[in-house]
Amino acid sequence: MKEIILLKDGELALKGLNRNSFEDILLKNIKYRLRACGKFRMVRGQSTVTLIPDEGADVTAACDELSRVFGIAAYSRCAVAPKDLGAILELAPVYLAETLRRAKTFKVEAKRSDKRFPYTSPQISAEVGGKLLQSFPHLRVDVHDPDVTVTVEIREDAYIHGNQCKGAGGMPVGSSGKAMLLISGGIDSPVAGYMMAKRGLELHAVHFASPPYTSLLAEEKVHDLLTKVARYSGRIRLHTVPFTEIQEAIRDTCPEDYATVVMRRFMMRVASRLAAQNDCHALITGESVAQVASQTMWAIGCTDAVAELPVFRPCVGLDKEEIITVARKIETFDISVRPFEDCCTVFTPKHPRTRPHLDEMPAAENGLDIDALCERAVAGVKLLTISAGGVNDD
Ligand code: ATP
Ligand code: MG
């Protein structure tokens, strides 16, 4: 049986003049994401895209991929019939048999884009509805809240489908520019990356590693997390920064209770430099107000002050439980709870300042050659490209 996939883009419809370029990016992303599923021809229509598989293309695998492509509001897998009412009536009960057997109620919606088709939409609905009632006598019609909405669309051919699937929503990755995600091994930052990719940002990532205090397993954990995020965001370039020298310098020169905020300020400075080098115009962190001592308003104020770009914190108003719900959905949770040390847990002060003030920062950082330390950290960066398929050397 011949099938196609119909895509509906959601928010894109609101973008007016930019619509074409947004759609170009969406189609490019879809092409990249479907590359392992065989060849599909893409036909653009008004607020829909039709994907027509070549011989041998894997429609099931393609639908699975499409469920994670941002910019798609909904998609439907459809059977293709000739534009002939008899053919439609024959195919509909066969194609939808499994779905309709499990349903109690249904309705039929017909959409006739091709006005030359000799039946009106109400006529098509009535005919198909009658045929389905005949084929599945247990069904009832419910026009208000049916279990299954059967749709018949008359376009280049006749397309028949059941309930449409909800897409990932959001904006196509890349349509909002690039940003640098600060990724630890924790629960929050992968979720933050996912949320901002959903707003159309292409991701770079930076991870601060402090060997030998942190192990290679901690870095591997970050690779595994990004592999999961990449299932939604597409490819991510990861910059792994050697952070040991900075952490030791902080330990040796800073008042202990300021160590955390000073460390976080270094992360912001180094991330800002890497962002500038890579055409990224914002930083992204997994911070959430009041979750830990370094995430009070005051501490965030001190870290923000040295960031040279806007800092997006999409988790800022979420509870841990809400963040975990997203982490489970994107399959990062089980990886995040692996037990390896992160650089944040190395040299953690017993009593960090919860209300550090910006005025106190120059004294706290007095013994540190900030520029030289940042420069050496940036110079030591290791680069990897991470995709849903895994890790590649650059
Ligand atoms: P997460 O769950 O993301 O680790 P967290 O609640 O543990 O967050 P912190 O340890 O205070 O919070 O870190 C706050 C944010 O700083 C993280 O969400 C992340 O964006 C960034 N960050 C922390 N540690 C690192 C690291 N080693 N490398 C890169 N970014 C980091
Ligand atoms: Mg953490």
Side-chain angles (χ1 to χ4, degrees), residues 87-390:
I88 295 168
L89 293 179
E90 195 177 323
L91 187 56
V94 178
Y95 185 63
L96 299 170
E98 208 184 308
T99 317
L100 291 175
R101 251 182 237 126
R102 276 185 274 123
K104 291 199 177 70
T105 57
F106 81 113
K107 74 171 172 186
V108 181
E109 265 178 18
K111 294 177 190 164
R112 192 176 54 144
S113 308
D114 177 357
K115 301 293 180 206
R116 289 168 308 177
F117 191 69
Y119 298 88
T120 63
S121 297
Q123 282 170 333
I124 302 169
S125 300
E127 290 285 337
V128 174
K131 175 72 184 186
L132 293 177
L133 282 171
Q134 204 180 38
S135 308
F136 303 94
H138 73 283
L139 284 179
R140 272 190 306 109
V141 173
D142 179 346
V143 290
H144 300 297
D145 186 24
D147 295 338
V148 179
T149 301
V150 173
T151 306
V152 179
E153 308 199 22
I154 310 293
R155 296 167 179 256
E156 303 85 69
D157 291 300
Y159 300 147
I160 302 165
H161 65 86
N163 288 338
Q164 61 178 15
C165 305
K166 198 168 171 341
M171 299 297 294
V173 168
S175 64
S176 305
K178 290 188 219 168
M180 181 67 74
L181 167 68
L182 285 81
I183 180 132
S184 63
I187 295 167
D188 307 336
S189 39
V191 168
Y194 158 82
M195 290 172 78
M196 295 318 300
K198 186 170 182 176
R199 298 312 307 155
L201 289 174
E202 182 180 333
L203 299 181
H204 276 246
V206 53
H207 175 67
F208 298 92
S210 301
Y213 304 103
T214 58
S215 75
L216 274 177
L217 291 173
E219 284 181 53
E220 226 177 84
K221 186 177 170 185
V222 168
H223 302 168
D224 292 349
L225 287 169
L226 289 177
T227 302
K228 293 292 186 189
V229 176
R231 298 194 318 144
Y232 292 87
S233 67
R235 242 173 305 186
I236 302 169
R237 284 191 104 202
L238 170 64
H239 310 253
T240 303
V241 176
F243 206 47
T244 315
E245 187 192 2
I246 290 176
Q247 285 209 284
E248 287 178 339
I250 293 171
R251 176 197 61 191
D252 295 342
T253 64
C254 279
E256 196 190 296
D257 48 345
Y258 286 93
T260 304
V261 65
V262 170
M263 177 192 74
R264 307 241 348 109
R265 280 162 61 90
F266 269 96
M267 287 187 181
M268 290 298 183
R269 291 186 183 106
V270 173
S272 297
R273 290 183 187 206
L274 290 172
Q277 286 176 6
N278 290 279
D279 192 31
C280 293
H281 298 277
L283 305 179
I284 303 167
T285 77
E287 288 162 306
S288 161
V289 164
Q291 201 183 80
V292 289
S294 59
Q295 295 177 15
T296 64
M297 250 190 331
W298 296 269
I300 289 176
C302 290
T303 47
D304 232 25
V306 293
E308 288 158 30
L309 294 167
V311 183
F312 294 154
R313 301 177 171 89
C315 299
V316 76
L318 298 181
D319 287 350
K320 198 76 189 181
E321 275 312 310
E322 293 169 315
I323 298 173
I324 288 174
T325 301
V326 183
R328 286 194 196 280
K329 175 179 130 169
I330 64 171
E331 298 179 12
T332 53
F333 182 76
D334 290 337
I335 302 169
S336 291
V337 296
R338 285 184 207 159
F340 310 113
E341 294 281 287
D342 179 68
C343 72
C344 290
T345 44
V346 178
F347 317 133
T348 313
K350 281 185 217 71
H351 304 289
R353 278 274 145 147
T354 52
R355 295 193 177 193
H357 196 275
L358 207 47
D359 296 346
E360 302 157 355
M361 291 301 111
E365 291 173 344
N366 188 27
L368 296 161
D369 187 344
I370 292 171
D371 263 340
L373 284 166
C374 289
E375 219 160 274
R376 281 198 293 276
V378 168
V381 162
K382 279 185 302 183
L383 266 177
L384 292 172
T385 300
I386 299 192
S387 65

